[in-house]
Amino acid sequence: MPITAKTRAPQHTLDDRTALRPSLAFAAVTLLGFGFLYSLAGTGIGRVLFPYQAAGSLVVVDGTPRGSALVAQPFVDARYFQPRPSAGNYDPMAAAGGNLARSNPDLRERMATLRQQVAQRDGISPDEVPAELVTMSGSGMDPHLSPQGARVQIARVAKARGLNEADVAALVAEHTEPATFGALGEPRVNVLELNLALDAKR
C-alpha cells in the first residue's frame, strides 16, 4: 500500500538551542571536574601522603637541592661514579631513549665506541664493561646502576679520591638497594646518592 501524506510517520525536528544547552553544561562539568578538581585533589593527596615524591624526590644537602633521586645527571670528574648514557643529554625536558633497533648498525657502532671509552676510563677489559654502561634506558634518565655497573668503577673512584678500594666498595654495598618488595626489579645503586655519600666521606 503506498504511503500517502495522511499515513506518513510524523517528522520530528531537533531544536538546536535545546540540544546545545546540555552539551555546553556537560563540557563545563567535564572540564571543571576532571580537568581541574580531579587534578587538584590528586596533587593535594599526593603532597599529603607522599610529600617527598610529590616534590620531585629532591636530594637536599645543607639546604641546597643537589638533584633528584629519580633523574640521572652527569658527573664529569673521575672522582665520581658515572651514570648510564643519556639520549637526551640528561635533560629532563628531552627525556627519551635512543630508539634504534638492536639490528641497527649505528647502534652497534655506538655501543662499541662507548665500550672502548668505558674500558679505558675505568681500566678494565672491554669484555668486563656491563651492558648498561653502553646502552640508554627508555627514558634516558635512569638514575640507577646495577651493583656490577658500580663495582667496575670502584678502582677509578678510589684512586682519584685517594681512598682504599675496600672503603669505596663498602660504600657501594651500603647504597645498594634490594629489589622492590624482594621480588620486583633488580638490586640497584642510586648514582647521585652514592656520589653524595662519597663527598661526605672525604
Side-chain angles (χ1 to χ4, degrees):
M1 175 180 176
I3 299 177
T4 65
K6 293 182 179 180
T7 60
R8 185 180 293 115
Q11 299 295 314
H12 298 283
T13 60
L14 181 65
D15 187 339
D16 290 340
R17 292 171 298 178
T18 303
L20 184 61
R21 193 176 298 114
S23 299
L24 291 176
F26 179 76
V29 170
T30 301
L31 290 174
L32 181 64
F34 296 103
F36 178 70
L37 295 178
Y38 177 80
S39 301
L40 189 64
T43 301
I45 293 172
R47 286 189 175 277
V48 172
L49 299 181
F50 308 100
Y52 174 68
Q53 292 86 343
S57 300
L58 296 179
V59 179
V60 180
V61 178
D62 297 329
T64 302
R66 299 293 298 275
S68 171
L70 298 179
V71 179
Q73 63 187 63
F75 293 90
V76 296
D77 197 299
R79 300 167 65 251
Y80 292 103
F81 286 86
Q82 306 297 316
R84 295 182 65 176
S86 170
N89 197 28
Y90 303 101
D91 181 0
M93 301 303 294
N99 297 327
L100 295 177
R102 295 179 64 181
S103 58
N104 192 308
D106 290 340
L107 176 63
R108 297 181 180 181
E109 181 180 352
R110 184 178 67 191
M111 289 177 62
T113 300
L114 286 174
R115 181 169 284 107
Q116 291 295 331
Q117 291 174 350
V118 172
Q120 183 177 6
R121 179 191 74 192
D122 292 316
I124 59 178
S125 165
D127 295 335
E128 298 177 280
V129 176
E132 70 200 78
L133 292 180
V134 297
T135 56
M136 303 168 185
S137 64
S139 67
M141 304 302 295
D142 189 349
H144 297 100
L145 288 176
S146 70
Q148 177 60 19
R151 281 195 290 266
V152 298
Q153 303 185 54
I154 288 176
R156 167 180 53 81
V157 172
K159 180 180 179 181
R161 288 180 176 266
L163 298 173
N164 292 326
E165 291 187 24
D167 292 337
V168 178
L171 206 58
V172 170
E174 180 182 336
H175 285 79
T176 298
E177 307 169 17
T180 304
F181 304 124
L184 301 178
E186 299 289 338
R188 55 199 177 274
V189 180
N190 188 285
V191 178
L192 173 62
E193 294 178 352
L194 176 59
N195 284 332
L196 292 176
L198 278 168
D199 283 343
K201 188 178 180 64
R202 66 185 179 191

